[in-house]
Amino acid sequence: MGTFTVFDHTADIGLDVQGRSLEDLLETAARAVFDQMLEDWPDKVEVLDEVRAAAMPGLAGDTAELLVVWLQELLYRFETGRLVPMTFEFGGIGPGEVRATVGFGRFEPCRHRTRLAVKAVTYHGLDVHREPDGAWRARFILDV
Amino acid sequence: MPGEAFTGPLEKVGDCKYRIPKSYKPGMRVDGLIYADEVLIEQIRRDNAPDQVANVAFLPGIQKASLAMPDIHWGYGFPIGGVAAMDPAEGGVISPGGVGYDINCGVRAIRSDLTREDVQPRVEQIVTEFFTRVPCGVGEGGTVTFSPSEMRRVCLEGARYVVRRGHGWEEDLERTEAGGCIEGADPDAVSKRAYDRGKDQVGSLGAGNHFLEVQAVDEIFDERAAEALGVAKDSVTFMIHCGSRGFGHQVCDDYIKTMRGAARKYGFDLPDQQLCCAPVESEEGQQYLGAMRAAANYAWANRQLLMALVREALSRVFGKPAERLGLRLIYDVAHNIAKMETHTVDGRERLLCVHRKGATRAFPAGHAEVPRVYRDVGQPVIIPGDMGRYSFLLVGLPGAMEETFGSVCHGAGRAMSRTEATRRVSGEQVRRDLAAKGIVAMARSWKGLAEEYSGAYKDVAEVVQVVERAGLARRVCRLRPLGVVKG
């Protein structure tokens, strides 16, 4: 399981995420984003769903873009279905595409305490790279 | 490296103006110009915002200067508090990053016949009523669900549509920027995802720095303008700060992608991916304009619905219809938007694409777009401060047209990160501190309340003083908070 830290940004939220693999990075990044939104998480997984996120044609080789579209997909599911991603089984990460079976818990506004509404994952200062030791690292700013 | 203090040049070029010369970075097409005094400029230097002012100066077709208001702080791409006008005739661009994710985030101020004396004993009841009626917080839907065909009408007609469905008064529209509806919205340029995110959220406040406030006028600076705006010392006002919710966020997400491709296609060399853009006249530029206008109209419909809830809540508390409480809209103004406006540059009138990213339109008396009721005093400018101190109403001055494309600041501007704020105070402590000042606060999130505490913001009084000293707008009155609802 990867790790994340929040870095200071005057108006928004900056996240530094590390994972042992790209899959681990994507999972940890998802947990990091939802950790900014929720103080209480759902108790259990209620929905298992296939999640597919694809980069725009022309940006297929861009891992940073892949991270952004992955997080955008999860934020979309939260806003439209109140689904909180809790478990992850990656089915494949190819050029410009990530596929995973995600276990979602249900967010209930009357039961779960919240923190920030994340509007978007921005491209400002966005960086995703692989360290010499093979670990992956991402740095990005959320608009809140 | 994001977040580092700015060490580049900031040359004092006037009473309240600091210039970043275009020689600072190769590629800058114009200077950067920051409106600030000696105190604020030291705060402004502490983060990356001035560098972002310089980055905006790279954008094709930019006119005069990359401008920043005194509430400027570090954003993403554009600084918050940035103004940039592009001339399409010179290949000028439009950039979703110059509008932001919360398209037409803005503020609405409502006057009343109520006095502080009427309201003070009932603040707790009023705030509770607001908190119960107005959906707010993370993951909360709105009060109305629109069908797909109704959503198209929201996109095309904005506040006009919801007023005609009974959620307001015709006069509200006269007192809303652009009449609550920008022409030229294109519902077909909006993705299904945006409709999915937006259809249940109309009439909701959201979270973060969005709020609903009960305020009392505690100082009048301009009696004539105050009378025109319908406020007097100790009269009570209400303020709503909100935007286009998930609908606008998705439109921005979608078009950032489009514009990243477009920036490459048109060969733009940009210092920040978030500044991606396309010529206003290009297919990509026109599509974004159409979608952005649809989201702007959605935001006006949203704030109109929120005001309807405020009127209902106050009617219930005071046992009188809203009309008899004098709950008239003062004005509604956008502070995240791009608009096509005519401005004079080098002695020639030009149609420009004016980006206001955390900046408020401030047209002076006599301008055709100022509502008739305010034509003699200037467009009302609503500047929220923080929930523990005060907010201000101003009116636009001719200086804004001459210098800043008719724009001023949009708020106090953050002085401290959210993490630093929560290190210093807890939400419970903030609520107790506000209560000690006689301010009732209710929030869905304690942590969110802590992040928004007064100390996290600059003193908005200093910000509006700069705007006044620079001749951009004039203070009308100061508003003290009595009660606040946060998401």
Side-chain angles (χ1 to χ4, degrees):
Chain A
M1 180 63 189
T3 58
F4 70 88
T5 54
V6 176
F7 67 85
D8 274 359
H9 182 283
T10 316
D12 295 309
I13 292 286
L15 288 171
D16 242 326
V17 182
Q18 291 188 64
R20 288 164 312 197
S21 60
L22 188 50
E23 287 87 344
D24 193 26
L25 183 88
L26 294 174
E27 176 175 344
T28 309
R31 290 186 196 282
V33 169
F34 280 81
D35 201 58
Q36 308 313 305
M37 298 163 65
L38 304 175
E39 285 198 57
D40 301 323
W41 286 63
D43 304 326
K44 60 181 188 296
V45 168
E46 291 191 45
V47 179
L48 270 181
D49 203 5
E50 296 295 320
V51 173
R52 178 182 171 272
M56 291 262 291
L59 294 169
D62 186 338
T63 316
E65 178 68 14
L66 198 61
L67 173 80
V68 172
V69 295
W70 162 249
L71 295 174
Q72 283 173 343
E73 180 64 36
L74 297 175
L75 287 170
Y76 169 77
R77 287 174 186 244
F78 176 77
E79 266 200 30
T80 55
R82 291 182 173 167
L83 296 174
V84 179
M86 296 172 70
T87 62
F88 302 82
E89 195 173 314
F90 288 90
I93 300 180
E97 186 185 60
V98 54
R99 280 178 290 116
T101 303
V102 178
F104 292 97
R106 287 199 188 278
F107 168 71
E108 295 171 42
C110 54
R111 208 158 73 82
H112 299 122
R113 287 176 304 159
T114 58
R115 194 184 149 210
L116 284 169
V118 173
K119 295 173 188 167
V121 183
T122 78
Y123 289 88
H124 174 60
L126 172 66
D127 177 53
V128 177
H129 67 270
R130 197 170 190 184
E131 302 278 4
D133 64 0
W136 284 81
R137 188 166 176 178
R139 189 174 170 87
F140 55 96
I141 293 167
L142 303 174
D143 182 19
V144 297
Chain B
M1 182 74 175
E4 288 180 354
F6 180 71
T7 54
L10 278 170
E11 302 167 357
K12 196 166 195 300
V13 290
D15 181 30
C16 290
K17 284 184 247 185
Y18 289 82
R19 182 174 63 174
I20 303 171
K22 68 177 180 181
S23 57
Y24 167 53
K25 281 186 179 183
M28 286 175 68
R29 295 165 192 263
V30 291
D31 292 339
L33 195 62
I34 300 175
Y35 286 79
D37 63 12
E38 296 76 4
V39 177
L40 288 172
I41 200 70
E42 290 311 313
Q43 289 184 34
I44 290 166
R45 278 180 200 277
R46 287 181 202 155
D47 71 20
N48 229 24
D51 213 56
Q52 293 186 319
V53 175
N55 289 347
V56 171
F58 281 65
L59 294 176
I62 188 167
Q63 300 296 304
K64 294 206 299 197
S66 165
L67 301 168
M69 297 297 126
D71 53 336
I72 176 184
H73 55 275
W74 183 22
Y76 42 86
F78 272 60
I80 313 295
V83 177
M86 283 61 172
D87 188 347
E90 292 182 7
V93 294
I94 184 163
S95 171
V99 175
Y101 287 92
D102 199 359
I103 295 167
N104 189 5
C105 185
V107 204
R108 174 170 285 229
I110 304 153
R111 53 87 58 203
S112 75
D113 293 339
L114 297 164
T115 64
R116 181 194 279 265
E117 203 175 308
D118 300 324
V119 165
Q120 196 93 55
R122 297 186 182 189
V123 174
E124 183 100 30
Q125 190 187 353
I126 294 169
V127 172
T128 305
E129 196 68 31
F130 286 169
F131 198 60
T132 311
R133 281 174 185 264
V134 177
C136 59
V138 176
E140 279 285 358
T143 46
V144 184
T145 297
F146 287 114
S147 69
S149 63
E150 289 168 335
M151 278 294 286
R152 285 181 71 86
R153 292 196 64 183
V154 169
C155 290
L156 287 167
E157 300 171 43
R160 287 181 203 165
Y161 179 62
V162 294
V163 165
R164 277 149 209 177
R165 277 179 52 141
H167 302 288
W169 310 340
E170 281 293 321
E171 71 160 47
D172 298 341
L173 302 175
E174 293 164 25
R175 293 157 183 254
T176 302
E177 180 175 338
C181 171
I182 309 189
E183 300 299 327
D186 181 0
D188 295 325
V190 175
S191 69
K192 179 181 176 299
R193 290 202 152 213
Y195 286 113
D196 287 347
R197 286 177 74 171
K199 69 179 174 9
D200 297 330
Q201 293 184 343
V202 198
S204 66
L205 195 64
N209 63 359
H210 293 166
F211 65 81
L212 172 53
E213 237 175 61
V214 186
Q215 304 159 330
V217 177
D218 82 331
E219 192 168 358
I220 300 279
F221 305 99
D222 180 335
E223 289 285 353
R224 182 169 155 266
E227 193 178 334
L229 270 55
V231 295
K233 189 159 187 325
D234 290 325
S235 68
V236 169
T237 59
F238 303 89
M239 194 178 277
I240 298 166
H241 177 212
C242 189
S244 51
R245 310 285 284 111
F247 187 83
H249 310 163
Q250 187 66 46
V251 166
C252 185
D253 260 344
D254 293 338
Y255 280 92
I256 291 270
K257 286 188 176 60
T258 303
M259 295 301 190
R260 287 183 76 204
R264 280 198 300 274
K265 174 178 159 186
Y266 295 105
F268 298 149
D269 185 17
L270 303 171
D272 184 338
Q273 295 183 74
Q274 195 76 33
L275 293 174
C276 57
C277 53
V280 177
E281 304 287 9
S282 67
E283 188 185 347
E284 297 91 340
Q286 288 297 303
Q287 278 182 347
Y288 171 66
L289 253 181
M292 190 265 316
R293 287 166 171 161
N297 290 342
Y298 179 103
W300 273 312
N302 187 31
R303 288 197 291 276
Q304 182 68 41
L305 278 169
L306 290 170
M307 182 169 73
L309 294 173
V310 165
R311 283 175 169 156
E312 281 172 27
L314 291 165
S315 291
R316 184 180 161 86
V317 170
F318 290 97
K320 288 181 185 174
E323 291 84 348
R324 284 189 52 210
L325 294 170
L327 293 171
R328 300 175 77 170
L329 182 61
I330 297 173
Y331 202 60
D332 177 305
V333 72
H335 55 225
N336 277 3
I337 203 157
K339 291 177 86 178
M340 300 306 297
E341 294 174 357
T342 302
H343 290 276
T344 304
V345 180
D346 298 333
R348 193 160 60 84
E349 280 201 344
R350 302 190 201 187
L351 184 64
L352 304 178
C353 180
V354 181
H355 297 71
R356 297 191 179 97
K357 173 75 189 85
T360 311
R361 199 187 73 172
F363 284 175
H367 194 285
E369 286 196 45
V370 176
R372 273 171 305 166
V373 285
Y374 304 129
R375 199 68 60 81
D376 291 342
V377 294
Q379 178 215 302
V381 176
I382 306 162
I383 307 297
D386 61 75
M387 60 187 170
R389 282 180 280 193
Y390 29 61
S391 297
F392 287 85
L393 298 180
L394 296 84
V395 284
L397 290 175
M401 293 309 279
E402 290 154 19
E403 295 194 22
T404 58
F405 304 103
S407 314
V408 295
C409 56
H410 84 308
R414 284 193 78 92
M416 185 189 294
S417 72
R418 293 176 182 278
T419 39
E420 179 60 26
T422 51
R423 272 195 288 268
R424 294 193 185 197
V425 290
S426 69
E428 290 86 344
Q429 183 63 48
V430 172
R431 193 173 79 152
R432 282 196 296 274
D433 291 348
L434 290 171
K437 292 180 174 181
I439 303 164
V440 177
M442 290 191 187
R444 292 271 174 233
S445 161
W446 286 119
K447 213 163 181 179
L449 191 68
E451 290 171 357
E452 292 293 315
Y453 96 107
S454 282
Y457 283 88
K458 298 177 197 175
D459 183 348
V460 72
E462 290 176 15
V463 171
V464 296
Q465 261 172 21
V466 168
V467 160
E468 190 164 275
R469 267 170 66 186
L472 307 178
R474 186 172 62 243
R475 289 172 301 167
V476 175
C477 65
R478 188 173 67 184
L479 310 165
R480 287 273 183 190
L482 301 174
V484 59
V485 171
K486 301 284 289 183

